[in-house]
Amino acid sequence: MNTMQVSFGEKKDNAAQAEHAVKMSARDVKVFYGDNEALHGINMDILENEVIAFIGPSGCGKSTFLRCLNRMNDTIDTARVTGLVTLDGKDIYDRSLDVVQLRAQVGMVFQKPNPFPKSIFENIAYGPRLHGLVDNKRDLDEVVESSLRRAGLWDEVKDRLEAPGTGLSGGQQQRLCIARAIAVSPEVILMDEPCSALDPIATSIIEELIDELKGSYTIAIVTHNMQQAARVSDKTAFFHLGNLVELNDTREIFTNPQDSRTEDYITGRFG
Amino acid sequence: MTPSDSEQTKTQQPDLMDLAQKRDLMQQRVAASLKRRHASEKRFRLYGMAAVTVALSFVAILFITILSKGLPAFWQATLTLDVYFDPEIIEIDEKPVRQPGESDGAFQQRMLAWQTDLGFVNFNRIILNSLAEVLPEAPRYQRDAMRLVTSGERFGLRQLVEDNPAIVGQTLRLKLLADANVDVWLKGNIDRSLPDSQQQLSARTRAWADELAERGIIRNQFSTALFMNADSRSSLASAGLAGAFMGSLMMMLIVMFLAVPVGVASAIYLEEFAPKNRLTDLIEVNINNLAAVPSIVFGLLGASVFILWFKLPLSAPIVGGLVLSLMTLPTVIIATRSTLKAIPPSIRQAALGIGASKVQSVFHHVLPLAIPGILTGSILGVAQALGEAAPLLLIGMSSFVASVPGSPFDQSTALPVQIYLWQGNELRNFFEARTSAAIIVLLALMISLNALAIWLRRHFETRW
Ligand SMILES: Nc1ncnc2c1ncn2[C@@H]1O[C@H](COP(=O)(O)OP(=O)(O)O)[C@@H](O)[C@H]1O
Ligand SMILES: [Mg+2]
């Protein structure tokens, strides 16, 4: 815990990071599933337009923490969240805040690609329509095209927008899901092991995509693949048994971990 | 090094030879067990096939007996006669026509008087006269002759005159249903060698029936009576399913418009929105239990609640429909819930993750995927209700009703109850076939409902 706060403090003082404002922050966030405390008070700042990777052994609470950031834990009956989570300084668990609006600002991409069993077009169009982001069909077409372009899928699907999204390959489906998330112009995109169900080629395409999205979006990505974290992220947070053990520049974490547990995990001694 | 470690290294070298032998032995054992496994697999497959064969042959036997018994009942002995509407017998005034300025009541009164007059006309006489055309002896043996034609036909003739009084004075070639006993006799459904005392028809009637059949005047013709008429006890040959069919139809509609929406709505609420706590657990257990309650208990409930409390009429399709709705509700709820459960949660997450509200995620994404399953479950529930007789017996739907119900509040029976009633009719030789015919009609309805369910499932099925 202490290690984390120290390294975290160091980062804040780091002049190189000064241009980045804090996009989301967590203060003493605990999550309970029934009586079982899965997260033991997490403190974290996520800076604007950076990619942060969450790593750690399975079951350590990475997904749980990620779900706190767009309140997806609300959908789990037994889950209870305490502490403070803010987006642009506003408490996202505040009663006055509408969770629907939050999720338009903080999009999510899931572990298993989960396109709607509808056409490719409808998959993308659903969000903008839902939130009333477009006024007419032309705008909608435009949003669909630009989202698919950003997700690097446009050239592959432009001739079959009416084909079912579920008919695409796994990697294409995942990019479709990313495009779907982008279509509502979120500020933050959460990705929970987005490549774990994909083959290496599809994975590298998604990684490139994340690289391209970096700069326009704040991205938090959970991964169990250390190389992936090293490749795509600016910052890396190491979780262990429901604690945030260490958070630092990715390079630092991988070359000069402060905590022995981090070192053990990175060098493959457990996990 | 620990002692055990050294022991291992010591024994490893000499074992190398043994290892090959051991492997051989193991291979043999595997081979031996393989044979056993294959044998048991084959045996199991045989058992399975035997079970399926037995089940299928039972179904085949059922269908063959019902079809072979019931199909002949769709064709009934029918006389084709020239019927002279003798004005001397039909002595009535002209059918009243509404006068300008006449009040409703006055006109109806005149009409009623005319109909009463018509009711006094001896249409049996007319039938007898037309029989006399083909059987000159008929007038001498009136009773024997009149046994040839089923008694209900005189009302048929009266109806013809009432509908169109202009036919009085004309001769029409008409098809008259033969008496049920004539039908039995001609179809050979009674032992012809039985003595007179044990025959339903007199020797003369039997001889006439044979003669008319030979002359082609009595022929087996497709029986519209079976479909167009309500049940009858005085004129058995014209007893039909129309009343029971309408009753069943009304009850089915009530079930569809009551049990299905209520059941689907409760299932959606319970599955998608209700908090998971003690109370909802209790409700779930109770719904599952309700589905297992014998249907006759629902009949008792219906009798005490709908008839004694709400004072709804006895034997009415409205009560039957309510009872069957109660009975079907748990089935619909369970079917809908299991369909909803089978929709992958990832779809819900996808919708919620993009900012859909709970209701939107359910109605935009979950329900459309669940529709085929919900429809199938509902149709099967309705089909089950359609075939149910036991609860209807307890709300008076087993009483004899000679008319086709015009509204859900009229007296009525239902198809399965009609089957039960006909099965118990004293004129077994005639009603055995008619019962099977009614079963065929019911089965045909069931099969079409199930086919509809299968079609809907195929039609709406989406993969995800
Ligand atoms: N829906 C849930 N209900 C109960 N416990 C859960 C649920 N989801 C996760 N947990 C528990 O919370 C802990 C953290 O899980 P999770 O966040 O999924 O870990 P990770 O994503 O790091 O593998 C685990 O001990 C897990 O068993
Ligand atoms: Mg996880």
Side-chain angles (χ1 to χ4, degrees), chain A residues 75 100 103 114 126 131 180, chain B residues 276 346 350 352 354-355 364-365:
Chain A
T75 64
V100 164
R103 291 194 190 134
N114 57 353
Y126 181 68
H131 297 296
R180 179 176 67 190
Chain B
K276 306 276 175 283
S346 63
L352 292 175
I354 210 162
H364 295 171
H365 298 286

Side-chain angles (χ1 to χ4, degrees), chain B residues 15-332:
Chain B
D15 259 0
L16 269 176
M17 277 296 291
D18 273 2
L19 212 60
Q21 272 181 347
K22 252 188 194 161
R23 284 211 179 113
D24 258 9
L25 204 73
M26 248 143 72
Q27 287 298 327
Q28 278 166 18
R29 284 204 177 178
V30 168
S33 83
L34 221 57
K35 205 179 276 172
R36 227 177 326 114
R37 275 186 277 175
H38 283 320
S40 86
E41 214 158 283
K42 208 177 267 174
R43 213 175 326 125
F44 188 77
R45 216 176 290 168
L46 271 178
Y47 290 156
M49 260 147 50
V52 170
T53 316
V54 168
L56 275 185
S57 50
F58 276 130
V59 172
I61 289 170
L62 178 82
F63 270 80
I64 289 169
T65 44
I66 288 176
L67 286 178
S68 64
K69 265 194 202 164
L71 282 181
F74 288 98
W75 285 266
Q76 257 182 283
T78 310
L79 296 95
T80 309
L81 293 175
D82 290 323
V83 180
Y84 175 49
F85 289 87
D86 192 344
E88 280 180 23
I89 300 172
I90 312 176
E91 278 185 294
I92 48 164
D93 302 331
E94 257 185 35
K95 188 172 182 177
V97 185
R98 189 165 191 159
Q99 304 294 323
E102 191 182 32
S103 76
D104 251 1
F107 173 67
Q108 259 163 31
Q109 206 168 4
R110 284 202 302 135
M111 187 57 124
L112 210 63
W114 182 76
Q115 280 169 343
T116 315
D117 272 357
L118 190 64
F120 283 120
V121 171
N122 186 357
F123 281 100
N124 274 344
R125 185 88 233 151
I126 290 181
I127 292 174
L128 188 66
N129 286 349
S130 40
L131 277 173
E133 298 283 315
V134 290
L135 298 169
E137 293 276 82
R140 267 181 60 202
Y141 305 99
Q142 251 188 56
R143 277 178 59 98
D144 292 334
M146 286 313 288
R147 288 300 299 275
L148 285 169
V149 179
T150 193
S151 62
E153 287 299 2
R154 61 173 189 265
F155 304 117
L157 296 186
R158 188 177 73 191
Q159 192 63 45
L160 281 178
V161 174
E162 189 179 333
D163 291 346
N164 180 15
I167 61 173
V168 175
Q170 294 179 10
T171 302
L172 300 181
R173 172 155 284 229
L174 293 180
K175 285 179 180 159
L176 303 180
L177 271 182
D179 188 87
N181 284 306
V182 173
D183 185 75
V184 170
W185 173 257
L186 290 177
K187 279 183 181 155
N189 285 341
I190 189 166
D191 187 352
R192 287 188 165 229
S193 60
L194 284 177
D196 270 7
S197 59
Q198 288 180 34
Q199 292 284 1
Q200 296 289 327
L201 297 171
S202 68
R204 182 168 291 109
T205 312
R206 275 154 28 216
W208 274 341
D210 284 337
E211 183 194 333
L212 290 178
E214 204 153 296
R215 288 165 60 189
I217 292 171
I218 297 186
R219 263 181 310 191
N220 241 350
Q221 299 209 327
F222 190 76
S223 162
T224 48
L226 188 57
F227 300 100
M228 306 302 288
N229 294 354
D231 197 10
S232 172
R233 280 205 179 152
S234 53
S235 171
L236 298 177
S238 39
L241 287 170
F245 184 87
M246 276 307 282
S248 276
L249 187 71
M250 285 174 186
M251 290 193 285
M252 250 173 64
L253 289 177
I254 292 171
V255 171
M256 271 184 207
F257 286 100
L258 210 65
V260 173
V262 171
V264 170
S266 358
I268 292 173
Y269 176 73
L270 285 174
E271 193 58 39
E272 301 287 336
F273 296 103
K276 306 276 175 283
N277 54 28
R278 285 260 169 78
L279 183 68
T280 44
D281 280 352
L282 193 75
I283 291 174
E284 169 146 21
V285 168
N286 274 308
I287 288 172
N288 291 339
N289 284 339
L290 270 184
V293 168
S295 58
I296 198 156
V297 176
F298 285 99
L300 271 176
L301 179 82
S304 62
V305 174
F306 298 125
I307 293 175
L308 291 182
W309 277 9
F310 295 138
K311 307 284 181 222
L312 288 172
L314 262 172
S315 318
I318 179 77
V319 180
L322 288 172
V323 167
L324 293 179
S325 294
L326 283 181
M327 199 195 82
T328 315
L329 209 52
T331 317
V332 174

Side-chain angles (χ1 to χ4, degrees), chain A residues 70 72 75 77 100 103-104 106-108 110 112 114-118 126-127 130-131 166 180-181 184, chain B residues 274-276 344 346-357 360-361 364-365 368-369 462-464:
Chain A
N70 70 342
M72 277 304 267
T75 64
D77 279 325
V100 164
R103 291 194 190 134
V106 184
M108 192 160 198
F110 298 85
K112 214 178 123 236
N114 57 353
F116 299 126
K118 301 185 175 189
Y126 181 68
L130 190 68
H131 297 296
T166 40
R180 179 176 67 190
V184 293
Chain B
K276 306 276 175 283
S346 63
I347 301 284
R348 282 166 252 247
Q349 282 176 355
L352 292 175
I354 210 162
S357 66
Q360 285 170 330
S361 81
H364 295 171
H365 298 286
L369 291 176
T462 5
R463 267 182 285 279
W464 49 78

